[in-house]
Amino acid sequence: MTESTEKVENICDARRRILNIAVSTVLLETGFDAADKVSLETLTEMIQCFITEVGNSARGYCELAGRVEPVLGDVSMALINMGISLQGIEQYAARPSRHIIQPPQQASVPRTPSMLSAGSKAKPAPHIPFHLPPLPDPHAYIRTPTHKQPVTEYEAIREKAATQKRDIERALTKFLSKTSETHNLFNTEDNQVYPLIACKPTFPSYLPALLPTDQVFDFDELEYHFQVANRTEDMPADKKENSDNEGDNGGDNENANNSQSETQDAPLGSSPDRNKSGG
Amino acid sequence: MQMSRMGSPSVGMEDDIGSGHALSDFLLQLENYNPSIPDSVVAYYLNMAGFESQDPRLVRLIALASQKLLSDIANDALQHCKMRTSSQVTQTSKNQKGPKEKKYVMTMDDLVPALQEYGITAKKPHYFV
């Protein structure tokens, strides 16, 4: 706030300074060689008040006559009202010893270059009046998408989904064949041509047939349970070994559910052997 | 001009009308004359008071009037200053330069009585708040 008041004062200061210069010019012309700072300021203040008062008075006379623009008559009435003779002005203008030292006319302040402007401002449409401010930068109200609109055709989407699925499967099988155990198609030494991903059967293999499972209503929930059941980070060390015996591919549904409930209820000291021995 | 007739129904009325006419002629001369105070500054202060004129000659007239007032006050102050320094000159005999070449410095002591004659009282406050 102080900055804004200082700025306003600076704007007034420039005019005050010009008035100071003008007063000094007149004093020089009168014959003074120097002047007190206080008296200079007093005279400047007096001149400023005088101009304001004449303007006020002339405006009053002008409005009294029902006009808006002041005329010479208004100004002369204002001057007469303040006690200034009009004849003296003309004589004063024609005085021979007047200094032609004119205070420099102020040039208009250069406008600060517009920073942070991206692109050129668009021209206003013809229905917009010209006295309104110009349009803002185009990026402020025009939005161009940065990417192409996605294809929404059903056929294209189906095709895309199918290719994605195929690519995913292929990549995943390649990865597994490279990293996990593989079987050979032919009865030769380690053959890299047609590796088969090794099947790891659970032991015993007849157990899923013996233990009936409930109906699976929600496969996502089942998967979630399975993942939570197989989490080994939070479980104590002895349980970790047992849970490692769980199969990777699907395992036992009931086992998964039971073990999950077990871990929730009694993480410390239940009897996991009964449930986990089948793993 | 009718306003001036109504405002001052005295003997000096004709002078006012005459000077009013002269002023309108003078206004034409003002186009070439530039007073010491720039037009923009005077116009700014007039605008602050509510006086907006498209005619720059009116602005120059007001500037000239204020300049004349200033020079009148300055002349009066110079008189006061000369009176004071002449009384000092007669007292001191060491003065080698003539009184014309003496430097005149305007101080508040000269300015205050000059302003008093115009009805402006400029008093310095005894204390600053």
Side-chain angles (χ1 to χ4, degrees):
Chain A
M1 271 200 351
T2 51
E3 285 182 5
S4 65
T5 47
E6 274 173 13
K7 207 174 173 187
V8 168
E9 281 168 4
N10 281 340
I11 295 174
C12 302
D13 275 349
R15 296 189 172 92
R16 271 300 273 257
R17 267 184 263 134
I18 295 183
L19 277 184
N20 258 342
I21 296 172
V23 166
S24 314
T25 311
V26 171
L27 285 180
L28 271 179
E29 197 184 307
T30 310
F32 278 104
D33 299 300
D36 214 4
K37 182 102 192 260
V38 182
S39 36
L40 194 66
E41 286 296 323
T42 309
L43 281 176
T44 314
E45 183 72 31
M46 190 201 78
I47 286 293
Q48 181 181 333
C49 294
F50 175 81
I51 296 177
T52 312
E53 187 58 37
V54 168
N56 216 1
S57 196
R59 179 180 61 93
Y61 277 115
C62 162
E63 286 175 358
L64 185 65
R67 275 179 278 112
V68 176
E69 273 211 34
V71 186
L72 173 65
D74 303 323
V75 175
S76 51
M77 277 300 291
L79 287 175
I80 292 168
N81 206 19
M82 293 185 70
I84 310 218
S85 76
L86 304 176
Q87 294 168 337
I89 298 181
E90 200 173 339
Q91 292 169 5
Y92 179 74
R95 72 194 184 284
S97 67
R98 65 168 185 260
H99 284 210
I100 322 280
I101 306 169
Q102 294 168 12
Q105 298 280 347
Q106 291 288 330
S108 64
V109 178
R111 283 183 57 198
T112 56
S114 59
M115 311 240 236
L116 302 177
S117 76
S120 55
K121 296 188 172 45
K123 284 226 164 104
H127 64 273
I128 299 176
F130 58 90
H131 57 269
L132 292 179
L135 285 174
D137 286 341
H139 72 271
Y141 59 92
I142 296 176
R143 178 170 177 270
T144 44
T146 54
H147 51 272
K148 286 197 300 191
Q149 290 289 333
V151 183
T152 51
E153 266 189 47
Y154 179 72
E155 289 179 12
I157 290 178
R158 278 296 289 263
E159 228 177 282
K160 232 181 181 179
T163 28
Q164 264 190 1
K165 187 172 172 210
R166 191 177 54 223
D167 290 340
I168 286 174
E169 280 181 11
R170 187 181 297 170
L172 205 53
T173 49
K174 272 193 191 164
F175 176 68
L176 279 181
S177 69
K178 290 261 170 27
T179 52
S180 66
E181 299 171 5
T182 57
H183 283 324
N184 276 335
L185 194 58
F186 307 106
N187 198 7
T188 58
E189 293 299 317
D190 205 37
N191 194 359
Q192 299 290 331
V193 182
Y194 293 115
L196 297 174
I197 301 174
C199 172
K200 304 190 192 81
T202 58
F203 181 79
S205 43
Y206 50 80
L207 198 59
L210 285 184
L211 299 175
T213 67
D214 290 333
Q215 278 186 322
V216 178
F217 293 103
D218 190 5
F219 281 102
D220 292 339
E221 194 185 335
L222 171 71
E223 212 171 289
Y224 171 74
H225 279 304
F226 188 69
Q227 283 173 7
V228 169
N230 272 351
R231 243 168 29 125
T232 55
E233 298 93 54
D234 302 328
M235 289 164 64
D238 53 347
K239 279 209 179 174
K240 249 192 197 172
E241 299 163 1
N242 290 332
S243 66
D244 274 345
N245 290 335
E246 294 273 355
D248 284 342
N249 10 311
D252 220 355
N253 293 343
E254 196 178 3
N255 262 359
N257 284 336
N258 284 346
S259 63
Q260 197 262 342
S261 58
E262 280 280 309
T263 51
Q264 275 181 356
D265 293 337
L268 284 183
S270 64
S271 52
D273 294 331
R274 188 167 52 85
N275 285 329
K276 303 243 173 136
S277 63
Chain B
M1 295 308 111
Q2 281 183 358
M3 278 184 355
S4 65
R5 221 172 281 148
M6 287 194 307
S8 54
S10 58
V11 184
M13 181 174 66
E14 282 130 8
D15 289 338
D16 288 338
I17 295 178
S19 62
H21 282 309
L23 263 189
S24 56
D25 296 334
F26 175 60
L27 217 55
L28 298 172
Q29 295 178 19
L30 255 188
E31 284 176 13
N32 305 324
Y33 183 85
N34 272 332
S36 299
I37 314 176
D39 281 349
S40 52
V41 175
V42 182
Y44 169 75
Y45 284 117
L46 289 174
N47 283 357
M48 297 278 271
F51 181 106
E52 169 90 31
S53 176
Q54 303 299 326
D55 196 2
R57 299 175 300 180
L58 278 182
V59 174
R60 284 200 198 123
L61 179 66
I62 295 176
L64 198 55
S66 54
Q67 195 179 334
K68 177 180 180 297
L69 176 69
L70 194 58
S71 97
D72 287 344
I73 292 178
N75 272 323
D76 289 348
L78 191 66
Q79 305 284 330
H80 283 278
C81 191
K82 279 183 184 166
M83 280 195 308
R84 196 163 298 128
T85 51
S86 65
S87 62
Q88 285 174 6
V89 162
T90 50
Q91 287 172 12
T92 59
S93 58
K94 207 179 173 185
N95 197 10
Q96 291 179 356
K97 301 178 195 172
K100 292 176 193 171
E101 295 182 15
K102 210 156 165 61
K103 298 237 173 192
Y104 295 114
V105 179
M106 178 160 96
T107 55
M108 283 304 279
D109 302 328
D110 306 324
L111 190 59
V112 168
L115 285 176
Q116 277 278 354
E117 293 171 18
Y118 280 86
I120 304 171
T121 46
K123 263 194 244 167
K124 209 173 165 181
H126 299 285
Y127 53 87
F128 282 94
V129 178

